[in-house]
Amino acid sequence: MTGQHGPAIVVRGLEKSYKDLHVLRGVDFEVAAGSIFALLGSNGAGKTTVVKILSTLLKADAGTAGVHGFDVATEAGKVRESISLTGQFAAVDEILSGRENLVLVARLRHLRNPGRIADDLLARFSLTEAGGRKVSTYSGGMRRRLDIAMSLIGNPPVVFLDEPTTGLDPQARIEVWQAVQELARHGTTVLLTTQYLDEAEQLADRIAILHEGRIIVNGTLAELKALHPPAKVEYVEKQPTLEDIFFAVVGAGPNDAGANEQEVR
């Protein structure tokens, strides 16, 4: 399985067990290039195990998987050159500034013009004003945005985001969602794992639900909704969502994510 044509990710019959615990029981899915694919499931469903196999950190017991046209088992080095992985906790150095974190990674990857790369990413993720500040002063949402920015150094075509909004407050989650949407706008393929239904609904082009080691449904949001037709009602009163209420109370909307970023924690 070589080359770079067709789907960005192909998974066939993936199985993984830990002694008597069968975590994956034959997982199949594909991810189109340049799309956001959400792997949705509760804790323990096997989402992180799938990501570890796809990122060559773990070997499958059975089945095959390819990323960017390369087989994860036989071409692990090529796969690692094609991906970036962001885990559940921001892997940033709090002593350094945001810009220094980016410059450091660019230098470690032996890229030219690390300063320009850092400045471009700071601008792309609305962190320019905070770029000179120590990361220890950043909010949770800012740290995660910086973490995602760091993962893009070297322009990997495929990015894995393993539960990127775990532990974040509602406004920080919106900030991270905007950062993920920014990835797709630039043509990056994103595989996102999450246990939050609203996150999958907001972000994903396609959603696969992983349950007890198997994909039990896979489709667009419209296709998934068609599986459960809406109930007929004579009168519907539009109630505000919790998100509407939250931003009405705090006085900021989803597009004002950077408005309160001067807060020092």
PDB file of all heavy atoms in Angstrom, residues 53-80:
ATOM      1  N   ILE A  53      -2.690   3.015  16.762  1.00  0.00           N
ATOM      2  CA  ILE A  53      -2.330   2.111  15.662  1.00  0.00           C
ATOM      3  C   ILE A  53      -2.051   2.912  14.394  1.00  0.00           C
ATOM      4  O   ILE A  53      -1.060   2.675  13.693  1.00  0.00           O
ATOM      5  CB  ILE A  53      -3.442   1.076  15.426  1.00  0.00           C
ATOM      6  CG1 ILE A  53      -3.516   0.104  16.622  1.00  0.00           C
ATOM      7  CG2 ILE A  53      -3.206   0.291  14.132  1.00  0.00           C
ATOM      8  CD1 ILE A  53      -4.705  -0.833  16.590  1.00  0.00           C
ATOM      9  N   LEU A  54      -2.912   3.876  14.091  1.00  0.00           N
ATOM     10  CA  LEU A  54      -2.743   4.677  12.879  1.00  0.00           C
ATOM     11  C   LEU A  54      -1.481   5.535  12.925  1.00  0.00           C
ATOM     12  O   LEU A  54      -0.899   5.848  11.887  1.00  0.00           O
ATOM     13  CB  LEU A  54      -3.965   5.560  12.655  1.00  0.00           C
ATOM     14  CG  LEU A  54      -5.259   4.833  12.281  1.00  0.00           C
ATOM     15  CD1 LEU A  54      -6.419   5.821  12.175  1.00  0.00           C
ATOM     16  CD2 LEU A  54      -5.098   4.074  10.972  1.00  0.00           C
ATOM     17  N   SER A  55      -1.065   5.920  14.121  1.00  0.00           N
ATOM     18  CA  SER A  55       0.136   6.755  14.255  1.00  0.00           C
ATOM     19  C   SER A  55       1.381   5.925  14.543  1.00  0.00           C
ATOM     20  O   SER A  55       2.413   6.476  14.935  1.00  0.00           O
ATOM     21  CB  SER A  55      -0.080   7.818  15.339  1.00  0.00           C
ATOM     22  OG  SER A  55      -0.427   7.225  16.577  1.00  0.00           O
ATOM     23  N   THR A  56       1.297   4.621  14.378  1.00  0.00           N
ATOM     24  CA  THR A  56       2.405   3.650  14.502  1.00  0.00           C
ATOM     25  C   THR A  56       2.928   3.482  15.925  1.00  0.00           C
ATOM     26  O   THR A  56       4.014   2.946  16.120  1.00  0.00           O
ATOM     27  CB  THR A  56       3.587   3.994  13.563  1.00  0.00           C
ATOM     28  OG1 THR A  56       4.331   5.109  14.092  1.00  0.00           O
ATOM     29  CG2 THR A  56       3.114   4.304  12.157  1.00  0.00           C
ATOM     30  N   LEU A  57       2.166   3.921  16.931  1.00  0.00           N
ATOM     31  CA  LEU A  57       2.594   3.769  18.318  1.00  0.00           C
ATOM     32  C   LEU A  57       2.205   2.405  18.884  1.00  0.00           C
ATOM     33  O   LEU A  57       2.676   2.014  19.957  1.00  0.00           O
ATOM     34  CB  LEU A  57       1.969   4.867  19.182  1.00  0.00           C
ATOM     35  CG  LEU A  57       2.374   6.305  18.854  1.00  0.00           C
ATOM     36  CD1 LEU A  57       1.616   7.294  19.728  1.00  0.00           C
ATOM     37  CD2 LEU A  57       3.886   6.482  19.024  1.00  0.00           C
ATOM     38  N   LEU A  58       1.364   1.690  18.161  1.00  0.00           N
ATOM     39  CA  LEU A  58       0.843   0.409  18.639  1.00  0.00           C
ATOM     40  C   LEU A  58       0.620  -0.488  17.428  1.00  0.00           C
ATOM     41  O   LEU A  58       0.208  -0.020  16.365  1.00  0.00           O
ATOM     42  CB  LEU A  58      -0.480   0.653  19.383  1.00  0.00           C
ATOM     43  CG  LEU A  58      -1.091  -0.472  20.212  1.00  0.00           C
ATOM     44  CD1 LEU A  58      -0.177  -0.816  21.394  1.00  0.00           C
ATOM     45  CD2 LEU A  58      -2.465  -0.048  20.723  1.00  0.00           C
ATOM     46  N   LYS A  59       0.879  -1.790  17.586  1.00  0.00           N
ATOM     47  CA  LYS A  59       0.667  -2.724  16.489  1.00  0.00           C
ATOM     48  C   LYS A  59      -0.679  -3.414  16.647  1.00  0.00           C
ATOM     49  O   LYS A  59      -1.041  -3.841  17.740  1.00  0.00           O
ATOM     50  CB  LYS A  59       1.793  -3.766  16.443  1.00  0.00           C
ATOM     51  CG  LYS A  59       3.144  -3.188  16.027  1.00  0.00           C
ATOM     52  CD  LYS A  59       4.158  -4.282  15.791  1.00  0.00           C
ATOM     53  CE  LYS A  59       5.511  -3.710  15.389  1.00  0.00           C
ATOM     54  NZ  LYS A  59       5.437  -2.981  14.111  1.00  0.00           N
ATOM     55  N   ALA A  60      -1.400  -3.529  15.541  1.00  0.00           N
ATOM     56  CA  ALA A  60      -2.680  -4.227  15.556  1.00  0.00           C
ATOM     57  C   ALA A  60      -2.451  -5.730  15.599  1.00  0.00           C
ATOM     58  O   ALA A  60      -1.413  -6.235  15.143  1.00  0.00           O
ATOM     59  CB  ALA A  60      -3.491  -3.851  14.308  1.00  0.00           C
ATOM     60  N   ASP A  61      -3.419  -6.453  16.146  1.00  0.00           N
ATOM     61  CA  ASP A  61      -3.350  -7.916  16.153  1.00  0.00           C
ATOM     62  C   ASP A  61      -3.774  -8.481  14.802  1.00  0.00           C
ATOM     63  O   ASP A  61      -3.314  -9.546  14.385  1.00  0.00           O
ATOM     64  CB  ASP A  61      -4.265  -8.485  17.247  1.00  0.00           C
ATOM     65  CG  ASP A  61      -3.818  -8.075  18.641  1.00  0.00           C
ATOM     66  OD1 ASP A  61      -2.615  -7.804  18.824  1.00  0.00           O
ATOM     67  OD2 ASP A  61      -4.672  -8.025  19.553  1.00  0.00           O
ATOM     68  N   ALA A  62      -4.689  -7.774  14.128  1.00  0.00           N
ATOM     69  CA  ALA A  62      -5.175  -8.219  12.829  1.00  0.00           C
ATOM     70  C   ALA A  62      -5.723  -7.021  12.080  1.00  0.00           C
ATOM     71  O   ALA A  62      -6.010  -5.973  12.669  1.00  0.00           O
ATOM     72  CB  ALA A  62      -6.262  -9.285  12.994  1.00  0.00           C
ATOM     73  N   GLY A  63      -5.863  -7.192  10.754  1.00  0.00           N
ATOM     74  CA  GLY A  63      -6.378  -6.108   9.927  1.00  0.00           C
ATOM     75  C   GLY A  63      -5.258  -5.267   9.346  1.00  0.00           C
ATOM     76  O   GLY A  63      -4.073  -5.479   9.626  1.00  0.00           O
ATOM     77  N   THR A  64      -5.646  -4.300   8.515  1.00  0.00           N
ATOM     78  CA  THR A  64      -4.680  -3.421   7.870  1.00  0.00           C
ATOM     79  C   THR A  64      -5.111  -1.969   8.027  1.00  0.00           C
ATOM     80  O   THR A  64      -6.289  -1.682   8.235  1.00  0.00           O
ATOM     81  CB  THR A  64      -4.550  -3.725   6.363  1.00  0.00           C
ATOM     82  OG1 THR A  64      -5.829  -3.516   5.739  1.00  0.00           O
ATOM     83  CG2 THR A  64      -4.074  -5.138   6.137  1.00  0.00           C
ATOM     84  N   ALA A  65      -4.153  -1.070   7.924  1.00  0.00           N
ATOM     85  CA  ALA A  65      -4.446   0.358   7.991  1.00  0.00           C
ATOM     86  C   ALA A  65      -3.414   1.104   7.172  1.00  0.00           C
ATOM     87  O   ALA A  65      -2.219   0.779   7.199  1.00  0.00           O
ATOM     88  CB  ALA A  65      -4.436   0.847   9.436  1.00  0.00           C
ATOM     89  N   GLY A  66      -3.883   2.097   6.431  1.00  0.00           N
ATOM     90  CA  GLY A  66      -2.994   2.928   5.643  1.00  0.00           C
ATOM     91  C   GLY A  66      -3.269   4.396   5.886  1.00  0.00           C
ATOM     92  O   GLY A  66      -4.422   4.799   6.062  1.00  0.00           O
ATOM     93  N   VAL A  67      -2.201   5.190   5.934  1.00  0.00           N
ATOM     94  CA  VAL A  67      -2.308   6.632   6.129  1.00  0.00           C
ATOM     95  C   VAL A  67      -1.505   7.329   5.048  1.00  0.00           C
ATOM     96  O   VAL A  67      -0.312   7.046   4.868  1.00  0.00           O
ATOM     97  CB  VAL A  67      -1.794   7.041   7.528  1.00  0.00           C
ATOM     98  CG1 VAL A  67      -1.846   8.554   7.687  1.00  0.00           C
ATOM     99  CG2 VAL A  67      -2.587   6.366   8.628  1.00  0.00           C
ATOM    100  N   HIS A  68      -2.167   8.224   4.309  1.00  0.00           N
ATOM    101  CA  HIS A  68      -1.532   8.969   3.222  1.00  0.00           C
ATOM    102  C   HIS A  68      -0.904   8.024   2.201  1.00  0.00           C
ATOM    103  O   HIS A  68       0.135   8.314   1.603  1.00  0.00           O
ATOM    104  CB  HIS A  68      -0.485   9.935   3.778  1.00  0.00           C
ATOM    105  CG  HIS A  68      -0.105  11.037   2.838  1.00  0.00           C
ATOM    106  ND1 HIS A  68      -1.026  11.840   2.197  1.00  0.00           N
ATOM    107  CD2 HIS A  68       1.124  11.465   2.409  1.00  0.00           C
ATOM    108  CE1 HIS A  68      -0.393  12.713   1.428  1.00  0.00           C
ATOM    109  NE2 HIS A  68       0.906  12.506   1.532  1.00  0.00           N
ATOM    110  N   GLY A  69      -1.515   6.849   2.020  1.00  0.00           N
ATOM    111  CA  GLY A  69      -1.038   5.884   1.039  1.00  0.00           C
ATOM    112  C   GLY A  69       0.018   4.925   1.537  1.00  0.00           C
ATOM    113  O   GLY A  69       0.493   4.080   0.772  1.00  0.00           O
ATOM    114  N   PHE A  70       0.385   5.019   2.815  1.00  0.00           N
ATOM    115  CA  PHE A  70       1.434   4.161   3.362  1.00  0.00           C
ATOM    116  C   PHE A  70       0.868   3.204   4.417  1.00  0.00           C
ATOM    117  O   PHE A  70       0.037   3.601   5.234  1.00  0.00           O
ATOM    118  CB  PHE A  70       2.557   4.999   3.978  1.00  0.00           C
ATOM    119  CG  PHE A  70       3.196   5.949   3.003  1.00  0.00           C
ATOM    120  CD1 PHE A  70       2.988   7.318   3.106  1.00  0.00           C
ATOM    121  CD2 PHE A  70       4.006   5.478   1.982  1.00  0.00           C
ATOM    122  CE1 PHE A  70       3.564   8.198   2.203  1.00  0.00           C
ATOM    123  CE2 PHE A  70       4.591   6.357   1.068  1.00  0.00           C
ATOM    124  CZ  PHE A  70       4.372   7.722   1.177  1.00  0.00           C
ATOM    125  N   ASP A  71       1.338   1.969   4.391  1.00  0.00           N
ATOM    126  CA  ASP A  71       0.881   0.951   5.335  1.00  0.00           C
ATOM    127  C   ASP A  71       1.512   1.192   6.708  1.00  0.00           C
ATOM    128  O   ASP A  71       2.740   1.331   6.814  1.00  0.00           O
ATOM    129  CB  ASP A  71       1.262  -0.440   4.825  1.00  0.00           C
ATOM    130  CG  ASP A  71       0.655  -1.537   5.659  1.00  0.00           C
ATOM    131  OD1 ASP A  71       1.200  -1.824   6.749  1.00  0.00           O
ATOM    132  OD2 ASP A  71      -0.360  -2.116   5.235  1.00  0.00           O
ATOM    133  N   VAL A  72       0.687   1.226   7.757  1.00  0.00           N
ATOM    134  CA  VAL A  72       1.204   1.563   9.085  1.00  0.00           C
ATOM    135  C   VAL A  72       2.130   0.481   9.637  1.00  0.00           C
ATOM    136  O   VAL A  72       2.978   0.762  10.500  1.00  0.00           O
ATOM    137  CB  VAL A  72       0.054   1.832  10.088  1.00  0.00           C
ATOM    138  CG1 VAL A  72      -0.806   3.000   9.632  1.00  0.00           C
ATOM    139  CG2 VAL A  72      -0.794   0.590  10.321  1.00  0.00           C
ATOM    140  N   ALA A  73       1.988  -0.754   9.154  1.00  0.00           N
ATOM    141  CA  ALA A  73       2.818  -1.843   9.666  1.00  0.00           C
ATOM    142  C   ALA A  73       4.146  -1.952   8.933  1.00  0.00           C
ATOM    143  O   ALA A  73       5.196  -2.148   9.550  1.00  0.00           O
ATOM    144  CB  ALA A  73       2.050  -3.166   9.576  1.00  0.00           C
ATOM    145  N   THR A  74       4.121  -1.810   7.602  1.00  0.00           N
ATOM    146  CA  THR A  74       5.328  -2.040   6.808  1.00  0.00           C
ATOM    147  C   THR A  74       6.042  -0.759   6.381  1.00  0.00           C
ATOM    148  O   THR A  74       7.187  -0.821   5.931  1.00  0.00           O
ATOM    149  CB  THR A  74       4.980  -2.866   5.549  1.00  0.00           C
ATOM    150  OG1 THR A  74       4.057  -2.122   4.740  1.00  0.00           O
ATOM    151  CG2 THR A  74       4.355  -4.199   5.942  1.00  0.00           C
ATOM    152  N   GLU A  75       5.355   0.397   6.498  1.00  0.00           N
ATOM    153  CA  GLU A  75       5.962   1.661   6.096  1.00  0.00           C
ATOM    154  C   GLU A  75       5.796   2.701   7.201  1.00  0.00           C
ATOM    155  O   GLU A  75       5.416   3.847   6.945  1.00  0.00           O
ATOM    156  CB  GLU A  75       5.321   2.159   4.800  1.00  0.00           C
ATOM    157  CG  GLU A  75       5.488   1.196   3.623  1.00  0.00           C
ATOM    158  CD  GLU A  75       4.686   1.624   2.410  1.00  0.00           C
ATOM    159  OE1 GLU A  75       3.452   1.536   2.459  1.00  0.00           O
ATOM    160  OE2 GLU A  75       5.306   2.054   1.414  1.00  0.00           O
ATOM    161  N   ALA A  76       6.092   2.278   8.428  1.00  0.00           N
ATOM    162  CA  ALA A  76       5.853   3.133   9.597  1.00  0.00           C
ATOM    163  C   ALA A  76       6.591   4.463   9.498  1.00  0.00           C
ATOM    164  O   ALA A  76       6.068   5.511   9.886  1.00  0.00           O
ATOM    165  CB  ALA A  76       6.253   2.402  10.871  1.00  0.00           C
ATOM    166  N   GLY A  77       7.813   4.448   8.988  1.00  0.00           N
ATOM    167  CA  GLY A  77       8.589   5.678   8.869  1.00  0.00           C
ATOM    168  C   GLY A  77       7.919   6.682   7.951  1.00  0.00           C
ATOM    169  O   GLY A  77       7.853   7.882   8.263  1.00  0.00           O
ATOM    170  N   LYS A  78       7.400   6.208   6.811  1.00  0.00           N
ATOM    171  CA  LYS A  78       6.700   7.087   5.874  1.00  0.00           C
ATOM    172  C   LYS A  78       5.417   7.636   6.492  1.00  0.00           C
ATOM    173  O   LYS A  78       5.050   8.794   6.267  1.00  0.00           O
ATOM    174  CB  LYS A  78       6.370   6.324   4.588  1.00  0.00           C
ATOM    175  CG  LYS A  78       7.577   5.951   3.766  1.00  0.00           C
ATOM    176  CD  LYS A  78       8.209   7.187   3.131  1.00  0.00           C
ATOM    177  CE  LYS A  78       9.307   6.806   2.159  1.00  0.00           C
ATOM    178  NZ  LYS A  78       9.957   8.010   1.558  1.00  0.00           N
ATOM    179  N   VAL A  79       4.728   6.800   7.269  1.00  0.00           N
ATOM    180  CA  VAL A  79       3.507   7.255   7.944  1.00  0.00           C
ATOM    181  C   VAL A  79       3.845   8.384   8.913  1.00  0.00           C
ATOM    182  O   VAL A  79       3.185   9.424   8.938  1.00  0.00           O
ATOM    183  CB  VAL A  79       2.818   6.091   8.688  1.00  0.00           C
ATOM    184  CG1 VAL A  79       1.686   6.620   9.576  1.00  0.00           C
ATOM    185  CG2 VAL A  79       2.269   5.073   7.702  1.00  0.00           C
ATOM    186  N   ARG A  80       4.895   8.192   9.708  1.00  0.00           N
ATOM    187  CA  ARG A  80       5.260   9.203  10.708  1.00  0.00           C
ATOM    188  C   ARG A  80       5.662  10.521  10.055  1.00  0.00           C
ATOM    189  O   ARG A  80       5.443  11.591  10.622  1.00  0.00           O
ATOM    190  CB  ARG A  80       6.386   8.676  11.608  1.00  0.00           C
ATOM    191  CG  ARG A  80       5.912   7.624  12.604  1.00  0.00           C
ATOM    192  CD  ARG A  80       6.962   7.347  13.661  1.00  0.00           C
ATOM    193  NE  ARG A  80       8.094   6.603  13.140  1.00  0.00           N
ATOM    194  CZ  ARG A  80       8.194   5.283  13.110  1.00  0.00           C
ATOM    195  NH1 ARG A  80       7.194   4.533  13.569  1.00  0.00           N
ATOM    196  NH2 ARG A  80       9.273   4.685  12.636  1.00  0.00           N
TER     197      ARG A  80
END
